[in-house]
Amino acid sequence: MFRWSMSRTFINIVVLLSVLLLVVLGGFSITAFKSFEGIVKQRTFEENSKELRIISDTIKRMNEDVKAFTFRQLDDPALAALFEKKNLEYFEMFKYMELISKSFEINPIFHSDTLYSGKTGNFYSTLGSMVQKDTFFVNAIQNYRGIPVLQPIPRVLPSEAYNTSATVFTYFYFLTDSDNKLSKALGVNIDAAWLCDTLSKLKGQNNKAYIIDKTSRTFIDDSKQIRNLDVLNSELVHKIMETNQDSGSFETGAKKDQKIISYLWMPETNWVLVVEESNEFLNQSLQFVRKIMLQMTLGIALIALVAAGFIAYRIYLPFGRVFREVMGPRGKTENKGPLIDEFKLLSDVFQKNKDLLKDYNSYKQSADTILLENYIKAVLMENNSIANQLTGEFSTVFGNMLDREMMLILLKIDRREQFEMLDSDRKKAYRFIIMNVAEEVLDSGNAAKAIYIGEGQFIILAFLPEGKRDISWDEKIRVLQNTVKGFTGISLSAFLGGYVQGVGALIHSYRTASLLLKYSVFYSHEAILDPAVLDLHEQMKVTYDEKLEERILDSIRAGDGDEAKALFDQFIEVSSKGDIESFMLSMTRFSLALGKAFDILNKTRIEKIPISMKDFYMRMASFESIDELKSKFYEDIMKIANQKPLVEMRHDALVESIKRYIQDHFKEELSLKGIAVEFKLSQGYLGTIFKDSVGLSVMDYIHNFRLDKSAELLLATELSIGDIMERTGFYNESSYYKLFKRRFGTTPKAYRVDKEIMNKLEK
């Protein structure tokens, strides 16, 4: 009777194992089939993508060659007469066209060149002089603001204008003068024959290749003709045009006519390369594999059911013995029917005992951790009453922990003001991460303990195995700093108190680390300082240089900010060689002297210097490093030094108002005339006083301010160049590119890439 009571568990085990094995088998079969299908599709996509990228790289080089040719041609002084001379003789024009044609020899894909002079209204072409009949080129000039610059546009040249109907890719470039009027236009035509030949090489028995132009909604293939997208499958075109990925593949069409589509968007163009390949081979392969796998799955399923019964029996034997041992006489009294749920009975017994043990261990571990942290804090803060009480009552918990040899390290969060601005939950999470990473990284083979002592500081006790002192702590701390910064973005500085053993040595080591923390202002963030730094500074005696102080103040009074900054750097360099107390006294004394000089300057001025000395002193007291101190001094020193003599104050106030107006309205269309009307001044007078004060014309200042703003957005955001132009008041792309290159020596895109590379290298 008792033996039959086990059948419920045995049956459950058999059923569960059978289901599990069948699910695993089914999953394996489906996964294997899908993997085979995926491998074939991926291989097809990889082969097609490889070909597409080769073509894309070639087109990219074509774009770069065209851009280089365009800028070289526009800047060529030998062609200046084309754009300046109104009545150009035929033989002169022929000579210039021949000169341009010769430059095509650098690349055989160049077909022809078309030019327009806004100053003379003349059209020119290396193919002839009937450019006016090229309505596409004429319309592009009339609507140049809406034409993409230096991007390939597929088209067929009109034979009535050029005596040829060649299929080409035309690149347009427009140049405007200071009044935003079109001064030059250039159309470079690239022969499409080479690209059509390349596409024909991708064609096979079951596939075809072509290029879609998103702007003109046309496509071109090996036929050397430009056709509308209506010829292609509309669903296919929509799927490709709406994708957000640079490359990819998908299937389309019914099963019998299914095709694999591979596509690749080309950078800096509105083109996408497409390859269509028949899916017939894949379908035939999958049919065969599906049949074979179905047969194998059925056979293995039968074997799995037999195996499930045997495994269930072997599993159940020890379970039955455990049940009889645990339940004893109770197991027989519980047997009221043919089948009982003995598993539930055992689970209830074990769960009650497990809960009791879990609660006990959890309470014990939490209490031990809290007591240990409080004990170490009490020792470091020299609170002997609390330390003695804890040691006396919980000696079994602590043992002789502090009698072991250890390294004491004090960690400090850099830029604590920024850290304190975080919400409380995030601060707790970051402290938890720092402590856990520190315990893992600084473990020297015999555990490490991290304790948060407040004010953004942590104490790390790294316990050492006996006799082990040859540890590279700098390397370990660097790993800790990099790991924490990678997870949280927080930088840490570390201060080594030295090797210690015993309570007295621990207190002395903590005092040393705390003193090192004060000296961290002499060093950059993420510093690692050891006790040798104290000897370096405390042995050097530095006296306050009153003559250097007076030279700095004289430079400020004279308005020479650069000289004041250079002298202040000398002052800092000398003062920071001594101990920290002397340095802080020197900084305070200099601040008072600067404040006094500032008060005297304000008494002699019509318009007061806009500096609050109260804010200045507060900023002085909150710096964390010398670099930060210099930055704060530079800012206020330059505010004072840059104030001009009293006779220029009225003009300066007016110029400052004009500058503020420009800075507030730089996104709008600004002109010298409009600003003069706004301030009720003549254009000549406004331009004269502005240039005398600033050193730039009004329009140059507007351009520079907008360019600086756009440079900031290029580095700080991922906005497109078009969006940045709109946000910074530029409405002509060619003019923006020209002004940006003149100011920064490179294009906006190259500027963004170069700065990102430099930032990564600096990190």
Side-chain angles (χ1 to χ4, degrees):
M1 191 71 173
F2 185 75
R3 184 176 300 171
W4 280 104
S5 65
M6 300 296 105
S7 60
R8 179 181 295 239
T9 301
F10 178 74
I11 291 171
N12 289 341
I13 295 175
V14 172
V15 171
L16 288 173
L17 284 175
S18 299
V19 172
L20 178 63
L21 291 174
L22 291 176
V23 169
V24 171
L25 178 61
F28 174 78
S29 301
I30 294 172
T31 303
F33 179 76
K34 290 294 183 182
S35 297
F36 176 80
E37 181 182 19
I39 289 170
V40 175
K41 291 180 181 179
Q42 183 64 26
R43 186 63 180 270
T44 302
F45 170 64
E46 288 175 355
E47 291 296 326
N48 290 337
S49 295
K50 183 178 179 181
E51 298 292 340
L52 293 179
R53 292 192 184 281
I54 293 174
I55 298 176
S56 177
D57 290 340
T58 305
I59 294 174
K60 184 178 180 180
R61 287 195 295 272
M62 176 183 77
N63 294 340
E64 295 299 328
D65 290 344
V66 171
K67 291 178 182 179
F69 172 78
T70 301
F71 290 120
R72 186 167 59 249
Q73 190 171 354
L74 288 173
D75 294 336
D76 190 351
L79 301 178
L82 277 174
F83 301 102
E84 301 293 335
K85 194 171 181 180
K86 194 162 189 177
N87 299 317
L88 194 66
E89 297 292 339
Y90 177 79
F91 75 91
E92 289 183 277
M93 183 271 289
F94 179 79
K95 181 182 65 174
Y96 291 127
M97 294 300 105
E98 185 178 16
L99 180 63
I100 296 174
S101 298
K102 285 184 178 181
S103 65
F104 289 167
E105 296 175 1
I106 61 174
N107 196 324
I109 67 173
F110 281 84
H111 181 272
S112 57
D113 197 7
T114 308
L115 304 98
Y116 168 74
S117 171
K119 184 174 182 180
T120 65
N122 292 334
F123 293 85
Y124 306 100
S125 173
T126 57
L127 295 176
S129 59
M130 302 299 291
V131 184
Q132 294 88 338
K133 293 185 179 182
D134 185 353
T135 57
F136 188 85
F137 183 67
V138 174
N139 289 336
I141 292 173
Q142 294 173 351
N143 304 288
Y144 69 92
R145 293 180 183 271
I147 301 297
V149 176
L150 290 180
Q151 292 189 13
I153 301 175
R155 68 188 188 107
V156 177
L157 293 177
S159 59
E160 62 271 17
Y162 303 111
N163 296 322
T164 178
S165 298
T167 301
V168 298
F169 305 118
T170 301
Y171 291 77
F172 286 106
Y173 189 80
F174 308 99
L175 199 63
T176 59
D177 56 22
S178 59
D179 293 327
N180 285 332
K181 292 183 179 179
L182 184 64
S183 60
K184 297 179 183 179
L186 177 67
V188 181
N189 299 315
I190 302 299
D191 194 348
W194 72 271
L195 182 56
C196 295
D197 293 340
T198 304
L199 293 175
S200 67
K201 294 178 183 178
L202 290 179
K203 286 188 62 176
Q205 184 175 0
N206 298 316
N207 67 317
K208 61 180 180 179
Y210 49 89
I211 293 176
I212 294 176
D213 182 66
K214 185 176 181 182
T215 303
S216 61
R217 299 194 65 81
T218 60
F219 77 98
I220 186 170
D221 55 15
D222 64 322
S223 66
K224 302 182 182 179
Q225 295 180 2
I226 299 172
R227 291 178 286 173
N228 292 328
L229 295 183
D230 299 340
V231 181
L232 298 176
N233 183 293
S234 59
E235 181 182 354
L236 166 65
V237 173
H238 178 76
K239 196 165 186 178
I240 293 175
M241 300 285 269
E242 295 300 323
T243 182
N244 292 324
Q245 298 179 345
D246 294 335
S247 63
S249 66
F250 57 87
E251 297 178 57
T252 184
K255 277 197 172 181
K256 292 184 179 180
D257 300 324
Q258 199 171 51
K259 294 181 179 180
I260 296 178
I261 307 298
S262 301
Y263 63 89
L264 174 69
W265 283 96
M266 284 176 283
E268 298 184 7
T269 69
N270 290 310
W271 287 5
V272 57
L273 283 166
V274 183
V275 172
E276 296 182 10
E277 184 165 345
S278 173
N279 211 8
E280 182 180 354
F281 171 74
L282 176 61
N283 288 331
Q284 292 176 352
S285 301
L286 293 179
Q287 291 280 353
F288 176 75
V289 172
R290 186 182 291 111
K291 182 178 178 181
I292 296 299
M293 293 199 68
L294 181 60
Q295 295 174 353
M296 293 177 59
T297 301
L298 291 175
I300 297 174
L302 293 175
I303 298 173
L305 292 174
V306 176
F310 176 75
I311 295 171
Y313 173 73
R314 299 299 301 174
I315 292 174
Y316 179 73
L317 283 179
F319 180 82
R321 287 195 293 268
V322 170
F323 176 75
R324 288 190 291 273
E325 290 291 333
V326 173
M327 300 304 297
R330 182 170 176 255
K332 296 179 180 180
T333 61
E334 293 287 346
N335 186 15
K336 301 298 183 182
L339 296 175
I340 68 168
D341 193 350
E342 67 283 356
F343 183 78
K344 184 177 183 304
L345 293 173
L346 284 176
S347 296
D348 291 342
V349 173
F350 282 113
Q351 189 61 42
K352 289 179 181 178
N353 290 291
K354 182 180 177 182
D355 290 343
L356 291 173
L357 288 173
K358 184 178 178 180
D359 291 343
Y360 172 77
N361 288 330
S362 177
Y363 294 145
K364 182 177 182 298
Q365 185 177 7
S366 298
D368 288 352
T369 301
I370 294 172
L371 290 171
L372 179 59
E373 291 183 356
N374 287 329
Y375 174 71
I376 293 176
K377 286 182 183 179
V379 170
L380 294 178
M381 305 305 171
E382 301 183 57
N383 194 328
N384 295 327
S385 60
I386 296 179
N388 293 335
Q389 181 181 358
L390 291 173
T391 304
E393 295 184 10
F394 301 98
S395 57
T396 55
V397 176
F398 303 139
N400 297 322
M401 181 190 66
L402 298 185
D403 290 334
R404 295 152 57 188
E405 189 173 24
M406 69 192 91
M407 166 62 75
L408 182 142
I409 302 172
L410 173 61
L411 297 179
K412 176 184 74 74
I413 295 176
D414 298 327
R415 302 181 182 90
R416 187 177 158 224
E417 289 182 0
Q418 298 179 13
F419 177 76
E420 294 299 335
M421 292 173 64
L422 300 174
D423 59 79
S424 59
D425 290 338
R426 180 164 295 188
K427 285 193 287 189
K428 288 179 182 178
Y430 284 176
R431 287 198 296 264
F432 178 79
I433 291 173
I434 292 171
M435 293 170 66
N436 278 272
V437 172
E439 289 180 352
E440 289 293 329
V441 174
L442 299 180
D443 181 6
S444 299
N446 203 9
K449 182 64 182 174
I451 303 166
Y452 182 65
I453 60 174
E455 297 184 355
Q457 299 177 23
F458 303 83
I459 289 294
I460 312 298
L461 300 180
F463 299 102
L464 309 177
E466 187 174 351
K468 183 178 179 180
R469 283 198 173 192
D470 55 339
I471 299 171
S472 179
W473 292 107
D474 282 9
E475 292 181 8
K476 284 180 170 288
I477 293 171
R478 286 296 178 204
V479 172
L480 166 64
Q481 290 172 330
N482 293 334
T483 304
V484 169
K485 195 168 187 178
F487 277 113
T488 65
I490 294 174
S491 65
L492 299 172
S493 291
F495 312 96
L496 281 65
Y499 292 103
V500 296
Q501 189 171 4
V503 174
L506 181 65
I507 294 172
H508 177 74
S509 179
Y510 174 68
R511 291 174 181 171
T512 301
S514 299
L515 186 57
L516 282 171
L517 188 149
K518 295 181 180 179
Y519 278 91
S520 64
V521 299
F522 293 157
Y523 302 88
S524 61
H525 292 133
E526 298 184 77
I528 302 175
L529 305 183
D530 58 35
V533 172
L534 299 178
D535 296 335
L536 179 67
H537 286 279
E538 292 179 354
Q539 291 177 3
M540 182 71 68
K541 301 300 180 183
V542 178
T543 57
Y544 188 80
D545 194 335
E546 295 181 357
K547 293 183 178 179
L548 187 55
E549 172 201 291
E550 189 58 34
R551 289 175 63 193
I552 296 172
L553 296 179
D554 287 343
S555 299
I556 294 172
R557 296 185 191 103
D560 192 346
D562 292 335
E563 176 69 14
K565 287 166 60 177
L567 293 173
F568 183 70
D569 287 345
Q570 295 179 26
F571 183 78
I572 290 293
E573 182 180 0
V574 173
S575 301
S576 61
K577 291 181 179 180
D579 60 83
I580 187 65
E581 287 80 8
S582 298
F583 176 77
M584 296 305 295
L585 286 173
S586 296
M587 290 301 100
T588 302
R589 183 173 175 180
F590 181 79
S591 299
L592 294 173
L594 186 60
K596 185 177 180 181
F598 162 75
D599 290 337
I600 294 172
L601 284 173
N602 265 343
K603 290 178 181 178
T604 61
R605 302 186 65 82
I606 297 174
E607 184 176 339
K608 305 303 181 184
I609 301 174
I611 297 178
S612 169
M613 291 311 294
K614 179 180 179 181
D615 293 341
F616 177 79
Y617 295 138
M618 291 178 65
R619 282 149 53 88
M620 258 295 298
S622 63
F623 71 92
E624 288 189 10
S625 66
I626 283 181
D627 291 338
E628 187 177 337
L629 171 67
K630 287 181 179 180
S631 176
K632 292 174 180 177
F633 263 99
Y634 290 165
E635 183 179 342
D636 291 325
I637 286 174
M638 293 305 291
K639 280 184 181 179
I640 299 172
N642 287 340
Q643 301 299 314
K644 294 187 177 180
L646 293 176
V647 294
E648 300 181 19
M649 282 302 296
R650 289 198 176 91
H651 279 179
D652 282 358
L654 179 58
V655 170
E656 286 300 317
S657 298
I658 295 170
K659 288 164 66 177
R660 285 195 295 271
Y661 178 84
I662 292 171
Q663 293 165 10
D664 291 338
H665 299 81
F666 73 95
K667 296 181 181 179
E668 305 168 9
E669 289 192 1
L670 296 175
S671 66
L672 179 62
K673 181 179 179 181
I675 297 173
V677 171
E678 180 70 24
F679 286 87
K680 297 179 177 58
L681 301 171
S682 69
Q683 295 183 46
Y685 178 74
L686 188 150
T688 300
I689 64 170
F690 191 95
K691 188 162 187 178
D692 288 343
S693 178
V694 180
L696 296 172
S697 69
V698 174
M699 294 309 297
D700 285 343
Y701 180 85
I702 292 171
H703 289 324
N704 288 349
F705 187 83
R706 287 171 170 170
L707 290 169
D708 291 342
K709 287 292 182 182
S710 67
E712 292 176 8
L713 292 175
L714 283 170
L715 299 182
T717 70
E718 295 181 358
L719 293 172
S720 67
I721 293 176
D723 289 340
I724 291 174
M725 285 175 54
E726 184 177 350
R727 294 189 180 196
T728 53
F730 287 103
Y731 301 94
N732 181 278
E733 187 174 6
S734 61
S735 176
Y736 170 71
Y737 271 75
K738 180 180 178 182
L739 291 170
F740 192 99
K741 188 172 183 181
R742 182 188 299 168
R743 181 159 177 80
F744 298 103
T746 185
T747 64
K749 181 177 180 182
Y751 180 87
R752 173 180 272 170
V753 172
D754 291 344
K755 291 296 182 181
E756 288 176 352
I757 293 173
M758 290 302 297
N759 290 337
K760 291 179 180 178
L761 291 175
E762 290 176 359
K763 290 181 179 179

